[in-house]
Amino acid sequence: MTIQQILIIGAGQCGGMAAAALRQRGYSGRILLVGRETHLPYERPPLSKSALTEATDSFGGLHKDDFYSQNDIELRLGTTVLALDPQARTASLSDGSQVHWDRCLFATGGQPRELEKFPAEQPNVHYLRTANDAMKLRNTLKNSEGRLLIIGAGFLGLEVASTARSMGIEVTQLESGQHLLKRALPTEISIWLEERARNFGVDLRLATGVLDENSSEPGLYHLSDGTDLRASAVLVAAGMRPETTMAKDIGLEMSADGGIAVDANCETSVPGIFAAGDCATQLVAHSGQPMRLESWQYANEQARIAAAAMVGEEDAPIPLPWFWSDQFGCNLQMLGLPEPDLTYVHRNINTSSEAPKWVSFGLRNNQIRHVVCANAGGELRPLKSLMELGVACSPEALADVNQPLRQLEKQYRAAIQPANSAL
């Protein structure tokens, strides 16, 4: 079958990267990129950081503005797909048109999880997912004369707290759990991050939530720790749900975590329909489990793989999961995934340093399975090599600041080469 028309639903980072990857592979057919936002495809990480402090409407665009016209990629911005027919391979759009497709990619991303106590329609309540959300929050922060209350202390909430503190804004942040980022960080690093946030002036309250708002005094909130708090604005950062409404409507198989189930090539249960990015759940080789990973890396990597598969080709598998976050004067990076019962050893953790630099290693049978580091991204290359090799490493050597990681990687690699040569 000749692939003449490809429809991409979702014009965010994943959709825009998939369209570019198709052209890079030499695909010359029609590419229709449909997105509900009016902005050109952009990257989302700046929304919690520079987009809140800089007076600009440019939000880390993926490509130059003329990229799409020069590459004959048809953009339908401010448009949604109302209905999709997998049998006829047609789609009805909100602009009144109907289009035919030979391959379709869901790159629909997700939506913030809204809390009933904080309806998005309230003028002082913010959710952060889109460029328009960031502009609204930026305007609030720049004109704020009161406290910002942040509900949730995941990566997004912490990044906004850090940005707001850099602007001199008072911040109270509530987290329902006993520790920060419990599913992503070992306890020791969670405690380190808690101290870091408080040292930057964040009123961080763990195991605490909002009971209700005072009906006679809007902006006065009763908290579960028994105190009252007055805030001029609220950011709800309580996680994200994948946007899968249409996928469910047409009967695509869904995963237990709510994402669209896809195979190694990002193809769904219906041949010819693919999914990638925040809406897709795929087997992660590193963990051996199907997972929906909300990350910049996976938006790019799955877009690449899906683009290849849609034109009947294959591409390299996704490398080790990698994630980063900039907050409280630190660039945090993570390689691999946390797993139950890992033993962590740490290299040079210093809670008092203004510019700390440390690495934490999660080990199983002395094999590195998870790495977390602060301001030490340059150390990830040799560690990635060691993780891919699957060699047992000395915990004492990993923790020893006097043994460069690059030198350790060379030693371990040299030690296994004779064994490999004998096979």
Side-chain angles (χ1 to χ4, degrees), residues 115-127 140 146-151 170-174 203 205 208-236:
L115 301 183
E116 185 177 351
K117 295 176 183 177
F118 298 97
E121 296 76 20
Q122 286 189 352
N124 69 319
V125 172
H126 296 264
Y127 289 84
T140 294
R147 179 174 294 270
L148 172 66
L149 172 61
I150 301 179
I151 310 297
E170 296 298 316
V171 175
T172 292
Q173 187 158 27
L174 308 183
D203 174 22
R205 307 192 191 185
T208 305
V210 175
L211 297 178
D212 54 50
E213 184 177 11
N214 192 310
S215 58
S216 60
E217 294 187 55
L220 181 64
Y221 299 95
H222 305 308
L223 306 185
S224 63
D225 63 3
T227 65
D228 290 345
L229 180 79
R230 187 174 299 280
S232 59
V234 177
L235 170 69
V236 179

Side-chain angles (χ1 to χ4, degrees), residues 185-193 343-346 349 351 360:
L185 300 178
T187 300
E188 302 95 316
I189 304 304
S190 292
I191 293 172
W192 175 88
L193 187 56
T343 299
Y344 282 85
V345 296
H346 313 290
I349 287 189
T351 58
S360 180

Side-chain angles (χ1 to χ4, degrees), residues 88 133 170-171 216 288 317 324 354 386 400:
D133 294 337
E170 296 298 316
V171 175
S216 60
W324 92 91
E354 291 186 8
L386 289 173
D400 186 354

